[in-house]
Amino acid sequence: MLAFVFRRLLVNVLVFFAVSVGVFVLVRAAPGDPIRVMVDPVQMQTGGEEFIARKRAELGLDDPLPVQYAAWFKRALTGDLGTSYVSHRPVTEVLTERLGPTVLLMGTALLTAVVLGLLVGTVAAVRRNSAVDYGATVLSLATISVPSFFLGIAAIYLFSLTLGVLPSAGMSTPGGGGGSSDILRHLILPAGILGLSLAGPLTRYVRSGLIGELGADYARTAEAKGATPRRVVVRHALRNALIPLITVLMIYIPQLFGGAVIVEQVFAWPGMGQLVVSSIAQLDYPVIVGFALYISLLVLVCNLAADLLYAVADPRVSLR
């Protein structure tokens, strides 16, 4: 086990290094000049070019790309991802203060998706080809097919504008103190929409996996020995069906960041999604690179966690 983890960590370090090179190069190859974004049209007429030249030299943007990367990588090894061009604050500080709201949103959405996916998928598999199964299939396909931004807008119109039962934007009510109950009310809509977008695929994977396991010889043998249908499903078939589900879940967790970017924009949620959208518009290179590295790190961690969870879900799996 330890040897396997060590090998995977070594591979992940090499992959992370390659990703950092690719992200750094691609961000700087994007069209546009971040220095010119800082200059307003009036300043361009009164010494703007001199300011641009001085600022580019100050930020090292005139250096060759390998030199820029080497300087950035040397600082990154100490935890310094640079300074934001816009807020003039350390990138790590800027990203960290936005990480909390995003983790809260993603964690709630993930919990919602897993609970819904397991419950609805299990019921659909047990009652195969029934009205419940068809209804679950239609709902899961709908959540997969309809974009999350459209569901978000529809939810705002229904629950905020029409019924007035839930807030439409933000993380807390201005002047409301920001208590846990207030945050929870603001969390329901964005986390629900983000969770539904993941619950649809999970429902289909649980249903198809459980149908296959319920038809296996060991499930019929357990039932023939007197095991109740509930025990056959929960203690035998569902556990074996978790193997492909773990893979899918670990793949979808990093994708939640992509969905969170959209949902945070729709609901004005003050997380990393809002930050990265504004940073792209303002060509804030350090923040964009830092966000991309956060995503790549999450992908590598999820892949390693998936391998370890295989052995937990199925003792027959050997990690070598």
Side-chain angles (χ1 to χ4, degrees):
M1 171 73 78
L2 291 178
F4 170 81
V5 173
F6 177 77
R7 289 197 304 270
R8 287 301 304 269
L9 287 176
L10 181 60
V11 172
N12 286 349
V13 168
L14 297 177
V15 172
F16 190 72
F17 172 75
V19 169
S20 70
V21 175
V23 169
F24 192 90
V25 172
L26 289 175
V27 167
R28 278 158 174 74
D33 187 347
I35 308 303
R36 291 187 178 275
V37 175
M38 304 178 188
V39 184
D40 57 62
V42 176
Q43 188 178 358
M44 283 298 296
Q45 300 174 2
T46 57
E49 292 296 340
E50 291 80 358
F51 170 81
I52 291 174
R54 186 171 63 253
K55 199 68 175 176
R56 289 184 64 85
E58 177 186 333
L59 297 176
L61 295 177
D62 286 338
D63 296 332
L65 199 56
V67 175
Q68 293 185 43
Y69 177 79
W72 173 86
F73 184 73
K74 183 179 179 180
R75 295 193 304 269
L77 289 177
T78 64
D80 181 9
L81 296 178
T83 303
S84 169
Y85 294 164
V86 177
S87 64
H88 307 291
R89 297 165 55 203
V91 171
T92 305
E93 179 182 322
V94 173
L95 292 175
T96 301
E97 71 179 14
R98 296 293 191 106
L99 183 62
T102 296
V103 169
L104 175 62
L105 175 61
M106 289 180 52
T108 307
L110 183 63
L111 179 62
T112 302
V114 171
V115 171
L116 287 177
L118 287 175
L119 289 178
V120 179
T122 301
V123 173
V126 172
R127 301 187 179 183
R128 184 181 180 185
N129 297 328
S130 66
V132 174
D133 183 21
Y134 294 143
T137 301
V138 170
L139 289 177
S140 62
L141 286 176
T143 58
I144 295 172
S145 305
V146 180
S148 57
F149 74 86
F150 179 82
L151 290 176
I153 294 173
I156 290 174
Y157 177 78
L158 176 61
F159 295 103
S160 300
L161 299 181
T162 304
L163 300 178
V165 294
L166 292 173
S168 62
M171 188 174 176
S172 60
T173 303
S180 57
S181 60
D182 186 37
I183 295 176
L184 179 60
R185 291 184 67 250
H186 285 78
L187 182 64
I188 290 174
L189 283 184
I193 296 301
L194 192 57
L196 283 176
S197 65
L198 178 58
L202 289 182
T203 298
R204 295 185 60 79
Y205 278 106
V206 170
R207 177 188 179 275
S208 60
L210 199 52
I211 287 176
E213 295 298 332
L214 288 174
D217 292 339
Y218 74 88
R220 291 196 297 267
T221 301
E223 188 173 355
K225 289 183 176 181
T228 62
R230 180 179 178 181
R231 183 179 180 86
V232 172
V233 171
V234 177
R235 294 293 300 274
H236 299 283
L238 185 58
R239 183 168 183 175
N240 288 332
L242 287 179
I243 296 294
L245 182 63
I246 289 173
T247 304
V248 173
L249 191 59
M250 291 303 163
I251 291 174
Y252 272 101
I253 287 178
Q255 292 185 13
L256 277 177
F257 256 111
V261 170
I262 299 173
V263 171
E264 287 180 6
Q265 285 294 108
V266 173
F267 291 96
W269 187 264
M272 296 181 71
Q274 268 198 333
L275 174 65
V276 73
V277 169
S278 62
S279 298
I280 292 173
Q282 297 167 324
L283 298 178
D284 196 348
Y285 289 169
V287 175
I288 299 172
V289 172
F291 177 80
L293 292 181
Y294 271 46
I295 297 294
S296 62
L297 181 62
L298 180 62
V299 172
L300 295 176
V301 169
C302 287
N303 287 339
L304 178 60
D307 291 335
L308 298 178
L309 287 174
Y310 290 157
V312 175
D314 190 348
R316 295 172 299 178
V317 175
S318 176
L319 299 178
R320 297 179 179 177

